[in-house]
Amino acid sequence: MLVTAASVSDTAAGVTLLARIAAAHPQIRTAWVDAGYRTTAIDHGVRLGIDVHPVQRPPGV
C-alpha cells in the first residue's frame, strides 16, 4: 500500500509502488490496478517483470 497526497497522479504513485513491490517481493508477476494507471506505470511494470492489468469499474457502480 502506498498513501500519497491527492496531488500525486495515479501513474507516478503506480511507478513508485511497482518498484517497491518488485524489490520486496520479486516473486510477484501480476498486478491488477485501477483504470487510472496509464501506460507509463504499465510499461514500468513490464520492465520489472510484472504484468499490470487495469480493471474497469462495472457500469453503474
Side-chain angles (χ1 to χ4, degrees), residues 8-34:
V8 177
S9 73
D10 284 348
T11 297
V15 167
T16 299
L17 183 57
L18 288 168
R20 288 181 183 183
I21 290 169
H25 305 282
Q27 70 277 16
I28 291 179
R29 295 286 169 237
T30 305
W32 291 272
V33 298
D34 181 85

Side-chain angles (χ1 to χ4, degrees), residues 4-58:
T4 64
S7 61
V8 177
S9 73
D10 284 348
T11 297
V15 167
T16 299
L17 183 57
L18 288 168
R20 288 181 183 183
I21 290 169
H25 305 282
Q27 70 277 16
I28 291 179
R29 295 286 169 237
T30 305
W32 291 272
V33 298
D34 181 85
Y37 285 72
R38 299 288 182 240
T39 304
T40 303
I42 295 168
D43 290 346
H44 187 66
V46 169
R47 286 191 295 277
L48 297 170
I50 301 172
D51 293 323
V52 179
H53 301 279
V55 178
Q56 298 292 326
R57 257 185 224 189

